[in-house]
Amino acid sequence: MKLMKTLIAGAVSMAFLPAVPAFAYEAGDIIVKAGVINVIPKDGNAEVGNSELDIDSDIQLGLTGVYMVSDKIGIELLAATPFTHTAEGDGGDIDGVDVITTKHLPPTLSAQFYPMDAASKIQPYVGLGVNYTFFFDEEDDAGLGSNGLKPSFGLAYSAGVDYMVNDNWLVNASVWKVDIDTEVKGGAADGLDVEIDPVAFMVACGYKF
Ligand code: NI
């Protein structure tokens, strides 16, 4: 009888144990986010004679998918709709002249660290990853006869924060600093080094599966 009472008491107390909150980040979770992403190249991207080239910024639809390896480590893939950038002369002989326009896609794969307790509604993170950027649909605005830009491999540093609105929906803000260095292929500017090295900002809504 005493044993019975103990077992029942045990079962009842287990039933009322505080459950792990449903918004906890756990191994196996998949978090998908979609939002607007602004890619802002650094100032002064190439030297051309007595001028420099400045590449303008562009805003597109950004998509990220995160797979939680544990409650503190995630793997993130960043994707986006294609960015279009124009390189324009700044100063010197080609001041204000559009030199080249190109589209690019910068897929980025990062390992992320989430320092907060898994049950926290606010989940800041930092990430380190690799970026592969390829360029396409180049327009040779200045008639240099170039054949586009070489693809780039580089490191990407990132940080962000997720805020769980409820068990599944979240809002997110994130930033990446990406090392994108490329070279003009062919034509009068063959071999010209172009350093894009942008910062990208994204504001997104997300869903945790
Ligand atoms: Ni660079």
Side-chain angles (χ1 to χ4, degrees):
M1 203 56 187
K2 195 158 192 188
L3 176 66
M4 198 67 169
K5 271 187 183 165
T6 310
L7 284 176
I8 291 169
V12 168
S13 70
M14 271 175 71
F16 287 94
L17 271 180
V20 177
F23 47 77
Y25 276 19
E26 298 171 306
D29 282 348
I30 291 172
I31 305 149
V32 174
K33 302 170 210 174
V36 287
I37 182 166
N38 190 4
V39 169
I40 306 165
K42 74 166 188 175
D43 193 42
N45 305 106
E47 301 294 329
V48 182
N50 59 357
S51 306
E52 69 177 19
L53 291 185
D54 277 341
I55 299 174
D56 64 356
S57 64
D58 192 29
I59 295 177
Q60 291 294 331
L61 171 68
L63 298 167
T64 61
V66 176
Y67 176 75
M68 296 302 292
V69 177
S70 72
D71 59 5
K72 294 227 185 309
I73 304 288
I75 302 291
E76 179 199 65
L77 179 66
L78 165 67
T81 48
F83 295 91
T84 302
H85 297 278
T86 297
E88 184 187 300
D90 182 20
D93 296 336
I94 58 167
D95 190 42
V97 174
D98 286 353
V99 176
I100 191 169
T101 299
T102 182
K103 291 184 181 173
H104 76 90
L105 280 173
T108 303
L109 188 66
S110 302
Q112 301 175 312
F113 176 64
Y114 294 76
M116 297 289 277
D117 186 88
S120 173
K121 281 190 176 198
I122 297 178
Q123 291 287 350
Y125 55 84
V126 289
L128 177 63
V130 287
N131 163 267
Y132 176 71
T133 296
F134 61 98
F135 302 90
F136 58 98
D137 274 3
E138 290 94 352
E139 286 163 39
D140 186 10
D141 300 323
L144 295 173
S146 70
N147 191 23
L149 296 167
K150 287 186 179 166
S152 161
F153 257 115
L155 286 178
Y157 309 89
S158 55
V161 60
D162 292 338
Y163 176 76
M164 299 302 297
V165 176
N166 61 28
D167 293 350
N168 295 105
W169 290 97
L170 59 114
V171 289
N172 164 266
S174 47
V175 59
W176 292 258
K177 174 69 186 170
V178 189
D179 189 23
I180 303 178
D181 299 330
T182 178
E183 233 176 66
V184 174
K185 291 186 291 186
D190 186 43
L192 178 70
D193 288 323
V194 181
E195 285 187 12
I196 303 172
D197 297 348
V199 173
F201 296 98
M202 180 163 142
V203 182
C205 287
Y207 190 87
K208 181 177 75 112
F209 293 90

